[in-house]
Amino acid sequence: MGSDASIVQAARVSYGKGTKKLHEDRGLIRYLLRHRHSTPFEMCEIKLHVRVPMDTWRQWIRHRTANVNEYSTRYSIAIDAMQKTLPGEWRVQATGNRQGSEGFLEAAAGAEFSHREEELHTMARGIYDARLEAGIAREQARKDLPLSTYTEAYWKIDLHNLLHFLALRMDAHAQLEVREYATVIGREIVRRWCPLTWEAYEDYRLSALDLSRIDIEVIGHLANGRTAEALASVRAAGLLPPEGEAVKRHVEREELEAKLDTLGITVPWQRTA
Ligand SMILES: Cc1cc2nc3c(=O)[nH]c(=O)nc-3n(C[C@H](O)[C@H](O)[C@H](O)COP(=O)(O)OP(=O)(O)OC[C@H]3O[C@@H](n4cnc5c(N)ncnc54)[C@H](O)[C@@H]3O)c2cc1C
């Protein structure tokens, strides 16, 4: 429901005017998004029919601002499909980020885990089917199905809340599986549905940088060649220890380093990551 036109129409109701020329609509949408005027974006809604493995769905369903109806495995037989992992797709636990992964297992080792995954899926489904065959209730028979089992749902959400979902789930910190769904929703669906909004969203959210007071202070010093002052600001904010003490990892400092990288500014202290 709705389009870019519904967003500008809603925003202009406050002074009783409808859609104007395209470039004016574009400017208004960009202004609304930049200044976080959220309610006009709630005039657009989308309903998706999704098929998602249970572990990914568990993250997805945490977004409370959607309306959901999910396939019932109490009422119906569980979907006979599980998400499979190819030999080259087993990701290695990240060392720097406890929640993340980095790189892949060697394909030869991965092949063994893919093979065992196949065995596990077959066994779990076989036991489930046997329970149903024996007359065990669907609500209980399902309890040992793996999290890789697909579920389906209708998922309806307004554009404002969808953009919030996408900001969290397209982000590099989100798990790859949910990120892939979010990327398709964003770049394939929303981009075509509301192109002006998507363009503004790319510019002001996805490809934008949030700068804290500390970031601004440090970047201001570095951009003007005041390295000593920049270091003093970083130390004063507790992101670096006092001079002479061992430098340990610090999440906020690493985030600042990433921002400096994006801006093409050389980090003037030794990195730990
Ligand atoms: C990378 C990542 C890692 C995560 N790790 C964990 C984890 O380890 N453990 C864990 O439990 N969760 C984790 N989460 C889930 C996360 O904490 C949120 O629950 C989830 O992302 C939903 O975000 P949300 O509440 O902003 O979204 P929504 O539920 O869609 O809500 C959108 C916005 O509406 C408002 N809102 C909605 N409901 C309420 C309410 N009842 N009261 C007040 N305001 C409300 C809030 O402003 C909220 O931001 C993780 C999420 C991400 C993206």
Side-chain angles (χ1 to χ4, degrees):
M1 184 181 86
S3 62
D4 282 330
S6 335
I7 297 165
V8 291
Q9 185 190 34
R12 290 201 176 111
V13 78
S14 46
Y15 52 91
K17 295 207 172 121
T19 313
K20 289 191 177 178
K21 291 193 185 95
L22 181 66
H23 76 274
E24 293 177 58
D25 290 352
R26 180 173 177 267
L28 178 55
I29 285 179
R30 293 174 76 78
Y31 177 88
L32 294 171
L33 209 110
R34 225 169 35 242
H35 294 276
R36 297 182 190 267
H37 289 299
S38 53
T39 49
F41 296 97
E42 293 168 18
M43 298 299 153
C44 296
E45 277 198 338
I46 192 162
K47 181 165 69 175
L48 300 173
H49 181 189
V50 295
R51 177 177 269 223
V52 189
M54 294 280 189
D55 58 345
T56 302
W57 183 239
R58 192 162 157 176
Q59 299 178 339
W60 193 318
I61 198 68
R62 293 298 303 280
H63 294 269
R64 299 157 290 175
T65 43
N67 305 110
V68 185
N69 254 96
E70 188 186 353
Y71 186 90
S72 169
T73 48
R74 290 184 78 194
Y75 191 85
S76 308
I77 295 175
I79 294 168
D80 191 7
M82 295 174 195
Q83 186 261 327
K84 296 184 193 332
T85 312
L86 295 172
E89 290 177 347
W90 294 101
R91 304 195 295 280
V92 175
Q93 176 61 45
T95 45
N97 174 354
R98 288 190 190 196
Q99 276 198 331
S101 54
E102 57 192 9
F104 294 90
L105 217 59
E106 292 274 318
E112 171 63 11
F113 285 104
S114 295
H115 173 65
R116 293 183 71 186
E117 178 186 74
E118 179 84 49
E119 287 177 343
L120 181 77
H121 287 178
T122 306
M123 184 174 77
R125 187 71 199 192
I127 292 172
Y128 173 72
D129 288 341
R131 287 176 186 169
L132 295 182
E133 194 82 3
I136 294 172
R138 287 185 285 271
E139 65 177 13
Q140 192 181 26
R142 66 186 175 174
K143 74 187 186 67
D144 298 310
L145 286 173
L147 282 172
S148 53
T149 309
Y150 281 94
T151 185
E152 282 191 17
Y154 283 107
W155 192 70
K156 180 170 77 69
I157 192 163
D158 68 55
L159 184 56
H160 164 65
N161 285 301
L162 178 58
L163 294 178
H164 174 73
F165 169 85
L166 295 178
L168 291 175
R169 300 302 176 178
M170 284 177 73
D171 188 86
H173 294 94
Q175 190 174 326
L176 176 68
E177 284 77 6
V178 73
R179 207 185 326 146
E180 286 181 337
Y181 279 97
T183 302
V184 169
I185 295 172
R187 296 203 198 283
E188 300 295 328
I189 300 176
V190 181
R191 184 178 57 81
R192 288 184 212 169
W193 171 33
C194 297
L196 295 179
T197 301
W198 185 256
E199 183 201 22
Y201 182 68
E202 290 255 19
D203 290 347
Y204 303 128
R205 295 278 190 287
L206 287 187
S207 309
L209 268 188
D210 274 338
L211 296 182
S212 68
R213 180 192 61 75
I214 302 157
D215 295 338
I216 292 170
E217 200 174 290
V218 173
I219 291 167
H221 287 314
L222 291 177
N224 289 290
R226 298 189 297 265
T227 309
E229 286 88 339
L231 285 166
S233 295
V234 177
R235 289 204 172 93
L239 307 190
L240 269 178
E243 221 171 339
E245 282 184 25
V247 179
K248 294 193 187 129
R249 295 201 57 189
H250 192 293
V251 175
E252 192 180 341
R253 192 185 65 241
E254 286 167 16
E255 289 171 7
L256 170 57
E257 289 166 1
K259 291 175 194 176
L260 293 174
D261 289 343
T262 303
L263 295 169
I265 297 175
T266 307
V267 176
W269 55 85
Q270 181 123 28
R271 293 176 185 237
T272 50

